[in-house]
Amino acid sequence: MRFLLFVLLFLSFAYSLGLVLANNTEVGVNLLFSQAPTMNLGLLLILCLILGIVIGMLLALLLFRVLQNKWEISRLQKANTNLQEQLTQANVVIDRQATAPSVEEAVYGSTATNAHDNHAAQEEAATLTKQKRD
């Protein structure tokens, strides 16, 4: 990776040097609100190129950050919707369990205390019938 970076820097330096040497005429620069002194055309081209690259990189970073934030917001909204659905399903299950009959109620058809009372009453009746037989 460092070798590739070194090669790219060397090529850009060589291109800049060639640009300055090929365009060695002096030109005046009008900046709309002021006048810059005359400078080498190759140097002016390099400065404009560097300025354009810097501005482009700053705009790209800004745009990328905005897009990254939008993607993050979208992902979080989807996760929030998914969690809301899970919460709703969990509340439905809890409500069903709260209103569902217990195991004893489902088996005996009455509440657990009534089932125990009925069982005790049956045992008492059985002992009374035994005593009458004796």
Side-chain angles (χ1 to χ4, degrees):
M1 184 67 183
R2 287 186 180 180
F3 180 72
L4 181 65
L5 183 62
F6 179 72
V7 169
L8 287 175
L9 286 174
F10 179 74
L11 289 175
S12 64
F13 177 74
Y15 178 74
S16 300
L17 186 63
L19 194 61
V20 169
L21 292 175
N23 298 302
N24 58 2
T25 58
E26 298 288 322
V27 293
V29 181
N30 185 1
L31 300 173
L32 296 180
F33 299 111
S34 67
Q35 183 76 25
T38 59
M39 58 179 14
N40 189 343
L41 180 61
L43 185 60
L44 181 65
L45 288 173
I46 290 171
L47 288 176
C48 289
L49 183 68
I50 290 172
L51 186 64
I53 289 172
V54 169
I55 290 173
M57 287 175 62
L58 290 175
L59 287 175
L61 288 174
L62 179 69
L63 182 65
F64 181 71
R65 185 170 293 142
V66 168
L67 290 176
Q68 189 178 19
N69 288 342
K70 284 184 180 182
W71 293 332
E72 183 72 14
I73 288 170
S74 174
R75 185 187 65 80
L76 290 174
Q77 284 176 341
K78 287 178 185 177
N80 190 17
T81 304
N82 187 16
L83 289 173
Q84 288 289 346
E85 290 173 5
Q86 288 178 0
L87 181 64
T88 304
Q89 291 173 356
N91 285 335
V92 168
V93 169
I94 290 171
D95 288 342
R96 282 188 202 152
Q97 289 176 352
T99 58
S102 66
V103 174
E104 292 178 352
E105 289 174 347
V107 171
Y108 298 115
S110 62
T111 63
T113 56
N114 289 342
H116 288 300
D117 291 342
N118 289 341
H119 184 63
Q122 288 174 355
E123 285 181 2
E124 193 176 311
T127 52
L128 285 177
T129 358
K130 263 188 181 177
Q131 288 174 355
K132 286 183 186 176
R133 280 190 242 157
D134 292 337

